[in-house]
PDB file of all heavy atoms in Angstrom:
ATOM      1  N   ALA H  58      -8.504   2.719  -9.010  1.00  0.00           N
ATOM      2  CA  ALA H  58      -9.526   3.328  -8.143  1.00  0.00           C
ATOM      3  C   ALA H  58      -9.641   2.614  -6.796  1.00  0.00           C
ATOM      4  O   ALA H  58      -9.871   3.260  -5.771  1.00  0.00           O
ATOM      5  CB  ALA H  58     -10.877   3.324  -8.853  1.00  0.00           C
ATOM      6  N   CYS H  59      -9.490   1.312  -6.793  1.00  0.00           N
ATOM      7  CA  CYS H  59      -9.588   0.550  -5.535  1.00  0.00           C
ATOM      8  C   CYS H  59      -8.270   0.686  -4.778  1.00  0.00           C
ATOM      9  O   CYS H  59      -7.284   0.016  -5.110  1.00  0.00           O
ATOM     10  CB  CYS H  59      -9.856  -0.925  -5.817  1.00  0.00           C
ATOM     11  SG  CYS H  59     -11.492  -1.246  -6.439  1.00  0.00           S
ATOM     12  N   ARG H  60      -8.259   1.573  -3.811  1.00  0.00           N
ATOM     13  CA  ARG H  60      -7.015   1.870  -3.100  1.00  0.00           C
ATOM     14  C   ARG H  60      -7.188   1.819  -1.594  1.00  0.00           C
ATOM     15  O   ARG H  60      -8.292   2.055  -1.096  1.00  0.00           O
ATOM     16  CB  ARG H  60      -6.573   3.313  -3.387  1.00  0.00           C
ATOM     17  CG  ARG H  60      -6.016   3.512  -4.739  1.00  0.00           C
ATOM     18  CD  ARG H  60      -5.821   4.974  -5.056  1.00  0.00           C
ATOM     19  NE  ARG H  60      -5.168   5.052  -6.341  1.00  0.00           N
ATOM     20  CZ  ARG H  60      -3.859   5.203  -6.515  1.00  0.00           C
ATOM     21  NH1 ARG H  60      -3.065   5.374  -5.476  1.00  0.00           N
ATOM     22  NH2 ARG H  60      -3.333   5.222  -7.718  1.00  0.00           N
ATOM     23  N   THR H  61      -6.072   1.579  -0.918  1.00  0.00           N
ATOM     24  CA  THR H  61      -6.016   1.817   0.526  1.00  0.00           C
ATOM     25  C   THR H  61      -5.144   3.049   0.742  1.00  0.00           C
ATOM     26  O   THR H  61      -4.070   3.159   0.132  1.00  0.00           O
ATOM     27  CB  THR H  61      -5.387   0.619   1.258  1.00  0.00           C
ATOM     28  OG1 THR H  61      -6.225  -0.517   1.073  1.00  0.00           O
ATOM     29  CG2 THR H  61      -5.259   0.891   2.753  1.00  0.00           C
ATOM     30  N   PHE H  83      -9.165   2.283  11.636  1.00  0.00           N
ATOM     31  CA  PHE H  83      -9.780   2.076  10.319  1.00  0.00           C
ATOM     32  C   PHE H  83     -10.913   3.084  10.194  1.00  0.00           C
ATOM     33  O   PHE H  83     -11.797   3.131  11.047  1.00  0.00           O
ATOM     34  CB  PHE H  83     -10.294   0.644  10.183  1.00  0.00           C
ATOM     35  CG  PHE H  83     -10.853   0.352   8.826  1.00  0.00           C
ATOM     36  CD1 PHE H  83     -10.021   0.325   7.720  1.00  0.00           C
ATOM     37  CD2 PHE H  83     -12.210   0.129   8.642  1.00  0.00           C
ATOM     38  CE1 PHE H  83     -10.527   0.075   6.453  1.00  0.00           C
ATOM     39  CE2 PHE H  83     -12.722  -0.122   7.373  1.00  0.00           C
ATOM     40  CZ  PHE H  83     -11.871  -0.154   6.279  1.00  0.00           C
ATOM     41  N   ASP H  84     -10.856   3.915   9.164  1.00  0.00           N
ATOM     42  CA  ASP H  84     -11.803   5.030   9.011  1.00  0.00           C
ATOM     43  C   ASP H  84     -11.828   5.873  10.278  1.00  0.00           C
ATOM     44  O   ASP H  84     -12.898   6.310  10.741  1.00  0.00           O
ATOM     45  CB  ASP H  84     -13.214   4.505   8.688  1.00  0.00           C
ATOM     46  CG  ASP H  84     -13.318   4.042   7.237  1.00  0.00           C
ATOM     47  OD1 ASP H  84     -12.525   4.498   6.403  1.00  0.00           O
ATOM     48  OD2 ASP H  84     -14.206   3.204   6.956  1.00  0.00           O
ATOM     49  N   ARG H 119      -7.715   3.668   5.469  1.00  0.00           N
ATOM     50  CA  ARG H 119      -9.086   3.623   4.932  1.00  0.00           C
ATOM     51  C   ARG H 119      -9.020   3.155   3.477  1.00  0.00           C
ATOM     52  O   ARG H 119      -7.974   3.294   2.823  1.00  0.00           O
ATOM     53  CB  ARG H 119      -9.769   4.988   5.029  1.00  0.00           C
ATOM     54  CG  ARG H 119      -9.148   6.052   4.202  1.00  0.00           C
ATOM     55  CD  ARG H 119      -9.821   7.416   4.393  1.00  0.00           C
ATOM     56  NE  ARG H 119      -9.031   8.439   3.735  1.00  0.00           N
ATOM     57  CZ  ARG H 119      -9.079   8.705   2.434  1.00  0.00           C
ATOM     58  NH1 ARG H 119      -9.917   8.056   1.654  1.00  0.00           N
ATOM     59  NH2 ARG H 119      -8.293   9.614   1.891  1.00  0.00           N
ATOM     60  N   ASN H 120     -10.120   2.607   3.026  1.00  0.00           N
ATOM     61  CA  ASN H 120     -10.179   2.113   1.649  1.00  0.00           C
ATOM     62  C   ASN H 120     -11.082   3.014   0.822  1.00  0.00           C
ATOM     63  O   ASN H 120     -12.055   3.558   1.342  1.00  0.00           O
ATOM     64  CB  ASN H 120     -10.749   0.690   1.615  1.00  0.00           C
ATOM     65  CG  ASN H 120      -9.837  -0.305   2.306  1.00  0.00           C
ATOM     66  OD1 ASN H 120      -8.615  -0.111   2.353  1.00  0.00           O
ATOM     67  ND2 ASN H 120     -10.407  -1.353   2.853  1.00  0.00           N
ATOM     68  N   THR H 121     -10.776   3.150  -0.468  1.00  0.00           N
ATOM     69  CA  THR H 121     -11.661   3.926  -1.339  1.00  0.00           C
ATOM     70  C   THR H 121     -12.823   3.069  -1.828  1.00  0.00           C
ATOM     71  O   THR H 121     -13.727   3.563  -2.465  1.00  0.00           O
ATOM     72  CB  THR H 121     -10.900   4.442  -2.574  1.00  0.00           C
ATOM     73  OG1 THR H 121     -10.340   3.312  -3.239  1.00  0.00           O
ATOM     74  CG2 THR H 121      -9.797   5.417  -2.192  1.00  0.00           C
ATOM     75  N   PHE H 122     -12.764   1.757  -1.542  1.00  0.00           N
ATOM     76  CA  PHE H 122     -13.865   0.880  -1.938  1.00  0.00           C
ATOM     77  C   PHE H 122     -14.580   0.426  -0.666  1.00  0.00           C
ATOM     78  O   PHE H 122     -13.978   0.429   0.413  1.00  0.00           O
ATOM     79  CB  PHE H 122     -13.353  -0.320  -2.743  1.00  0.00           C
ATOM     80  CG  PHE H 122     -12.185  -1.034  -2.128  1.00  0.00           C
ATOM     81  CD1 PHE H 122     -12.365  -2.121  -1.298  1.00  0.00           C
ATOM     82  CD2 PHE H 122     -10.884  -0.601  -2.368  1.00  0.00           C
ATOM     83  CE1 PHE H 122     -11.286  -2.781  -0.740  1.00  0.00           C
ATOM     84  CE2 PHE H 122      -9.784  -1.260  -1.812  1.00  0.00           C
ATOM     85  CZ  PHE H 122      -9.998  -2.342  -0.993  1.00  0.00           C
ATOM     86  N   PRO H 123     -15.849   0.062  -0.766  1.00  0.00           N
ATOM     87  CA  PRO H 123     -16.595  -0.272   0.446  1.00  0.00           C
ATOM     88  C   PRO H 123     -15.963  -1.445   1.189  1.00  0.00           C
ATOM     89  O   PRO H 123     -15.488  -2.403   0.559  1.00  0.00           O
ATOM     90  CB  PRO H 123     -17.978  -0.668  -0.065  1.00  0.00           C
ATOM     91  CG  PRO H 123     -17.992  -0.435  -1.520  1.00  0.00           C
ATOM     92  CD  PRO H 123     -16.638  -0.067  -1.991  1.00  0.00           C
ATOM     93  N   HIS H 124     -15.944  -1.332   2.529  1.00  0.00           N
ATOM     94  CA  HIS H 124     -15.274  -2.321   3.366  1.00  0.00           C
ATOM     95  C   HIS H 124     -15.805  -3.732   3.107  1.00  0.00           C
ATOM     96  O   HIS H 124     -15.055  -4.650   2.807  1.00  0.00           O
ATOM     97  CB  HIS H 124     -15.437  -1.931   4.839  1.00  0.00           C
ATOM     98  CG  HIS H 124     -14.876  -2.956   5.771  1.00  0.00           C
ATOM     99  ND1 HIS H 124     -13.639  -3.503   5.591  1.00  0.00           N
ATOM    100  CD2 HIS H 124     -15.387  -3.536   6.873  1.00  0.00           C
ATOM    101  CE1 HIS H 124     -13.407  -4.384   6.555  1.00  0.00           C
ATOM    102  NE2 HIS H 124     -14.455  -4.415   7.340  1.00  0.00           N
ATOM    103  N   SER H 125     -17.123  -3.867   3.186  1.00  0.00           N
ATOM    104  CA  SER H 125     -17.654  -5.224   2.998  1.00  0.00           C
ATOM    105  C   SER H 125     -18.141  -5.379   1.563  1.00  0.00           C
ATOM    106  O   SER H 125     -19.315  -5.507   1.288  1.00  0.00           O
ATOM    107  CB  SER H 125     -18.788  -5.490   3.981  1.00  0.00           C
ATOM    108  OG  SER H 125     -19.750  -4.497   3.813  1.00  0.00           O
ATOM    109  N   SER H 126     -17.195  -5.323   0.631  1.00  0.00           N
ATOM    110  CA  SER H 126     -17.561  -5.465  -0.778  1.00  0.00           C
ATOM    111  C   SER H 126     -17.121  -6.811  -1.306  1.00  0.00           C
ATOM    112  O   SER H 126     -17.348  -7.134  -2.463  1.00  0.00           O
ATOM    113  CB  SER H 126     -16.899  -4.359  -1.597  1.00  0.00           C
ATOM    114  OG  SER H 126     -15.498  -4.426  -1.433  1.00  0.00           O
ATOM    115  N   GLY H 127     -16.462  -7.603  -0.439  1.00  0.00           N
ATOM    116  CA  GLY H 127     -15.915  -8.870  -0.920  1.00  0.00           C
ATOM    117  C   GLY H 127     -14.622  -8.647  -1.687  1.00  0.00           C
ATOM    118  O   GLY H 127     -14.046  -9.574  -2.232  1.00  0.00           O
ATOM    119  N   ILE H 128     -14.147  -7.382  -1.747  1.00  0.00           N
ATOM    120  CA  ILE H 128     -12.863  -7.118  -2.405  1.00  0.00           C
ATOM    121  C   ILE H 128     -11.793  -7.169  -1.332  1.00  0.00           C
ATOM    122  O   ILE H 128     -11.886  -6.454  -0.329  1.00  0.00           O
ATOM    123  CB  ILE H 128     -12.860  -5.729  -3.069  1.00  0.00           C
ATOM    124  CG1 ILE H 128     -13.917  -5.710  -4.151  1.00  0.00           C
ATOM    125  CG2 ILE H 128     -11.483  -5.380  -3.611  1.00  0.00           C
ATOM    126  CD1 ILE H 128     -13.854  -4.505  -5.022  1.00  0.00           C
ATOM    127  N   ALA H 129     -10.798  -8.009  -1.536  1.00  0.00           N
ATOM    128  CA  ALA H 129      -9.751  -8.154  -0.525  1.00  0.00           C
ATOM    129  C   ALA H 129      -8.980  -6.852  -0.423  1.00  0.00           C
ATOM    130  O   ALA H 129      -8.586  -6.268  -1.432  1.00  0.00           O
ATOM    131  CB  ALA H 129      -8.827  -9.281  -0.921  1.00  0.00           C
ATOM    132  N   SER H 130      -8.800  -6.369   0.803  1.00  0.00           N
ATOM    133  CA  SER H 130      -8.022  -5.151   0.984  1.00  0.00           C
ATOM    134  C   SER H 130      -6.590  -5.484   1.397  1.00  0.00           C
ATOM    135  O   SER H 130      -5.801  -4.594   1.647  1.00  0.00           O
ATOM    136  CB  SER H 130      -8.674  -4.250   2.014  1.00  0.00           C
ATOM    137  OG  SER H 130      -8.859  -4.975   3.206  1.00  0.00           O
ATOM    138  N   SER H 133      -3.852  -4.096  -1.257  1.00  0.00           N
ATOM    139  CA  SER H 133      -3.638  -2.652  -1.192  1.00  0.00           C
ATOM    140  C   SER H 133      -3.149  -2.239   0.195  1.00  0.00           C
ATOM    141  O   SER H 133      -2.263  -1.395   0.328  1.00  0.00           O
ATOM    142  CB  SER H 133      -4.928  -1.915  -1.561  1.00  0.00           C
ATOM    143  OG  SER H 133      -6.015  -2.389  -0.789  1.00  0.00           O
ATOM    144  N   ILE H 216     -15.878  -4.045 -11.733  1.00  0.00           N
ATOM    145  CA  ILE H 216     -15.999  -5.142 -10.761  1.00  0.00           C
ATOM    146  C   ILE H 216     -17.455  -5.248 -10.306  1.00  0.00           C
ATOM    147  O   ILE H 216     -17.996  -4.305  -9.701  1.00  0.00           O
ATOM    148  CB  ILE H 216     -15.078  -4.901  -9.543  1.00  0.00           C
ATOM    149  CG1 ILE H 216     -13.648  -4.583 -10.017  1.00  0.00           C
ATOM    150  CG2 ILE H 216     -15.079  -6.110  -8.613  1.00  0.00           C
ATOM    151  CD1 ILE H 216     -12.775  -3.946  -8.955  1.00  0.00           C
ATOM    152  N   LEU H 218     -20.106  -6.515  -7.901  1.00  0.00           N
ATOM    153  CA  LEU H 218     -20.124  -7.002  -6.519  1.00  0.00           C
ATOM    154  C   LEU H 218     -21.324  -7.941  -6.344  1.00  0.00           C
ATOM    155  O   LEU H 218     -22.425  -7.528  -6.010  1.00  0.00           O
ATOM    156  CB  LEU H 218     -20.177  -5.821  -5.541  1.00  0.00           C
ATOM    157  CG  LEU H 218     -19.041  -4.802  -5.751  1.00  0.00           C
ATOM    158  CD1 LEU H 218     -19.184  -3.620  -4.799  1.00  0.00           C
ATOM    159  CD2 LEU H 218     -17.675  -5.443  -5.596  1.00  0.00           C
ATOM    160  N   ASP H 220     -21.464 -10.703  -4.402  1.00  0.00           N
ATOM    161  CA  ASP H 220     -21.699 -11.135  -3.025  1.00  0.00           C
ATOM    162  C   ASP H 220     -20.701 -10.431  -2.124  1.00  0.00           C
ATOM    163  O   ASP H 220     -19.496 -10.609  -2.269  1.00  0.00           O
ATOM    164  CB  ASP H 220     -21.509 -12.656  -2.917  1.00  0.00           C
ATOM    165  CG  ASP H 220     -21.780 -13.149  -1.500  1.00  0.00           C
ATOM    166  OD1 ASP H 220     -22.760 -12.671  -0.893  1.00  0.00           O
ATOM    167  OD2 ASP H 220     -21.005 -13.991  -1.009  1.00  0.00           O
ATOM    168  N   LYS H 221     -21.215  -9.620  -1.211  1.00  0.00           N
ATOM    169  CA  LYS H 221     -20.314  -8.804  -0.394  1.00  0.00           C
ATOM    170  C   LYS H 221     -19.964  -9.469   0.923  1.00  0.00           C
ATOM    171  O   LYS H 221     -19.327  -8.871   1.778  1.00  0.00           O
ATOM    172  CB  LYS H 221     -20.966  -7.449  -0.124  1.00  0.00           C
ATOM    173  CG  LYS H 221     -21.372  -6.700  -1.385  1.00  0.00           C
ATOM    174  CD  LYS H 221     -21.827  -5.319  -1.006  1.00  0.00           C
ATOM    175  CE  LYS H 221     -22.567  -4.639  -2.126  1.00  0.00           C
ATOM    176  NZ  LYS H 221     -23.127  -3.368  -1.688  1.00  0.00           N
ATOM    177  N   GLY H 222     -20.408 -10.709   1.096  1.00  0.00           N
ATOM    178  CA  GLY H 222     -20.179 -11.379   2.384  1.00  0.00           C
ATOM    179  C   GLY H 222     -18.719 -11.730   2.609  1.00  0.00           C
ATOM    180  O   GLY H 222     -17.892 -11.618   1.712  1.00  0.00           O
ATOM    181  N   ASN H 323     -17.373 -12.373  -6.742  1.00  0.00           N
ATOM    182  CA  ASN H 323     -17.423 -11.159  -7.569  1.00  0.00           C
ATOM    183  C   ASN H 323     -16.779 -11.398  -8.935  1.00  0.00           C
ATOM    184  O   ASN H 323     -15.881 -12.215  -9.065  1.00  0.00           O
ATOM    185  CB  ASN H 323     -16.701 -10.008  -6.866  1.00  0.00           C
ATOM    186  CG  ASN H 323     -17.413  -9.607  -5.575  1.00  0.00           C
ATOM    187  OD1 ASN H 323     -18.618  -9.828  -5.450  1.00  0.00           O
ATOM    188  ND2 ASN H 323     -16.688  -9.048  -4.631  1.00  0.00           N
ATOM    189  N   GLN H 349     -25.179  -7.363  -5.863  1.00  0.00           N
ATOM    190  CA  GLN H 349     -25.869  -7.122  -4.595  1.00  0.00           C
ATOM    191  C   GLN H 349     -26.157  -5.618  -4.483  1.00  0.00           C
ATOM    192  O   GLN H 349     -25.233  -4.800  -4.670  1.00  0.00           O
ATOM    193  CB  GLN H 349     -24.968  -7.575  -3.447  1.00  0.00           C
ATOM    194  CG  GLN H 349     -25.750  -8.084  -2.272  1.00  0.00           C
ATOM    195  CD  GLN H 349     -24.848  -8.643  -1.188  1.00  0.00           C
ATOM    196  OE1 GLN H 349     -23.775  -9.177  -1.447  1.00  0.00           O
ATOM    197  NE2 GLN H 349     -25.285  -8.515   0.040  1.00  0.00           N
ATOM    198  N   ASN H 350     -27.372  -5.267  -4.243  1.00  0.00           N
ATOM    199  CA  ASN H 350     -27.842  -3.868  -4.205  1.00  0.00           C
ATOM    200  C   ASN H 350     -27.462  -3.079  -5.462  1.00  0.00           C
ATOM    201  O   ASN H 350     -27.320  -1.863  -5.422  1.00  0.00           O
ATOM    202  CB  ASN H 350     -27.280  -3.118  -2.984  1.00  0.00           C
ATOM    203  CG  ASN H 350     -27.577  -3.846  -1.687  1.00  0.00           C
ATOM    204  OD1 ASN H 350     -28.669  -4.390  -1.528  1.00  0.00           O
ATOM    205  ND2 ASN H 350     -26.623  -3.886  -0.780  1.00  0.00           N
ATOM    206  N   HIS H 352     -24.633  -2.880  -6.845  1.00  0.00           N
ATOM    207  CA  HIS H 352     -23.340  -2.206  -6.703  1.00  0.00           C
ATOM    208  C   HIS H 352     -22.241  -2.796  -7.589  1.00  0.00           C
ATOM    209  O   HIS H 352     -22.079  -4.003  -7.683  1.00  0.00           O
ATOM    210  CB  HIS H 352     -22.865  -2.256  -5.240  1.00  0.00           C
ATOM    211  CG  HIS H 352     -23.668  -1.364  -4.347  1.00  0.00           C
ATOM    212  ND1 HIS H 352     -23.616  -1.428  -2.979  1.00  0.00           N
ATOM    213  CD2 HIS H 352     -24.543  -0.372  -4.644  1.00  0.00           C
ATOM    214  CE1 HIS H 352     -24.442  -0.531  -2.466  1.00  0.00           C
ATOM    215  NE2 HIS H 352     -25.024   0.123  -3.455  1.00  0.00           N
ATOM    216  N   TYR H 353     -21.488  -1.889  -8.210  1.00  0.00           N
ATOM    217  CA  TYR H 353     -20.299  -2.288  -8.977  1.00  0.00           C
ATOM    218  C   TYR H 353     -19.284  -1.158  -8.899  1.00  0.00           C
ATOM    219  O   TYR H 353     -19.616  -0.040  -8.511  1.00  0.00           O
ATOM    220  CB  TYR H 353     -20.671  -2.613 -10.429  1.00  0.00           C
ATOM    221  CG  TYR H 353     -21.261  -1.450 -11.197  1.00  0.00           C
ATOM    222  CD1 TYR H 353     -20.460  -0.677 -12.042  1.00  0.00           C
ATOM    223  CD2 TYR H 353     -22.608  -1.100 -11.082  1.00  0.00           C
ATOM    224  CE1 TYR H 353     -20.997   0.394 -12.751  1.00  0.00           C
ATOM    225  CE2 TYR H 353     -23.144  -0.035 -11.778  1.00  0.00           C
ATOM    226  CZ  TYR H 353     -22.336   0.709 -12.611  1.00  0.00           C
ATOM    227  OH  TYR H 353     -22.857   1.776 -13.295  1.00  0.00           O
ATOM    228  N   ILE H 354     -18.044  -1.468  -9.247  1.00  0.00           N
ATOM    229  CA  ILE H 354     -16.962  -0.476  -9.158  1.00  0.00           C
ATOM    230  C   ILE H 354     -16.288  -0.365 -10.524  1.00  0.00           C
ATOM    231  O   ILE H 354     -15.953  -1.386 -11.134  1.00  0.00           O
ATOM    232  CB  ILE H 354     -15.899  -0.916  -8.109  1.00  0.00           C
ATOM    233  CG1 ILE H 354     -16.531  -0.997  -6.713  1.00  0.00           C
ATOM    234  CG2 ILE H 354     -14.705   0.039  -8.093  1.00  0.00           C
ATOM    235  CD1 ILE H 354     -15.621  -1.594  -5.658  1.00  0.00           C
ATOM    236  N   CYS H 355     -16.113   0.868 -10.995  1.00  0.00           N
ATOM    237  CA  CYS H 355     -15.403   1.063 -12.263  1.00  0.00           C
ATOM    238  C   CYS H 355     -13.935   1.331 -11.974  1.00  0.00           C
ATOM    239  O   CYS H 355     -13.605   2.330 -11.339  1.00  0.00           O
ATOM    240  CB  CYS H 355     -15.990   2.247 -13.019  1.00  0.00           C
ATOM    241  SG  CYS H 355     -17.647   1.893 -13.608  1.00  0.00           S
TER     242      CYS H 355
END
Side-chain angles (χ1 to χ4, degrees):
C59 289
R60 286 170 175 263
T61 296
F83 184 67
D84 284 337
R119 65 183 171 81
N120 295 332
T121 57
F122 49 93
H124 175 47
S125 56
S126 58
I128 297 190
S130 55
S133 52
I216 309 163
L218 305 177
D220 181 42
K221 304 187 195 174
N323 295 335
Q349 212 175 329
N350 306 321
H352 289 167
Y353 62 98
I354 298 172
C355 291

